[in-house]
């Protein structure tokens, strides 16, 4: 394998692991958590496109995955708007588990 083909595999995996590290370490605001989840989805999409292109499978599964990722993003943003309207901010420290 050439260095370029190895780079096409390791760069998306590094993107996924950086997104996971950001998701685990920075949990102060809901918006930063949602952005790290979208970053992880982008990395997984990149890995899927590269692997399926090497195998020669058509891209319908990646389009389905991209559709589900967009739905996940829309659901996350609607939850963010709802939480900001009810609580006033998106900090996790201001949420109480005993309140509805």
């Amino acid at each position: 394998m050439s260095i370029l083909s190895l780079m096409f595999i390791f760069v998306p995996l590094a993107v996924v692991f950086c997104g996971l590290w950001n998701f685990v370490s920075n949990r102060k605001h809901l918006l930063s958590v949602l952005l790290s989840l979208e970053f992880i989805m982008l990395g997984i999409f990149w890995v899927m496109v590269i692997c399926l292109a090497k195998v020669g499978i058509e891209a319908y599964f990646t389009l389905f995955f991209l559709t589900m990722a967009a739905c996940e993003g829309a659901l996350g943003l609607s939850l963010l708007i709802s939480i900001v309207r009810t609580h006033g901010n998106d900090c996790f420290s201001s949420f109480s588990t005993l309140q509805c």
Side-chain angles (χ1 to χ4, degrees), residues 19-34 36-37 90-95:
L20 285 172
W21 178 73
N22 191 16
F23 178 72
V24 170
S25 64
N26 297 330
R27 300 189 75 155
K28 187 174 182 181
H29 293 282
L30 181 62
L31 184 61
S32 65
V33 170
L34 291 174
S36 64
L37 285 175
D90 68 335
C91 291
F92 281 123
S93 61
S94 66
F95 301 151

Side-chain angles (χ1 to χ4, degrees), residues 38 41-46 48-49 59-74:
E38 288 299 319
M41 292 305 241
L42 180 67
I44 292 172
F45 176 71
W46 196 6
M48 285 176 47
V49 166
Y60 292 117
F61 185 70
T62 58
L63 291 176
F64 178 73
F65 180 78
L66 194 60
T67 304
M68 291 298 122
C71 292
E72 178 255 339

Side-chain angles (χ1 to χ4, degrees), residues 17 19 22-23 30 48 50 52 56 63 70 72 75 77 81 83 94 96 100:
F17 287 124
N22 191 16
F23 178 72
L30 181 62
M48 285 176 47
I50 290 171
L52 291 178
L63 291 176
E72 178 255 339
L75 180 64
L77 286 177
I81 289 171
I83 287 173
S94 66
S96 176
C100 290

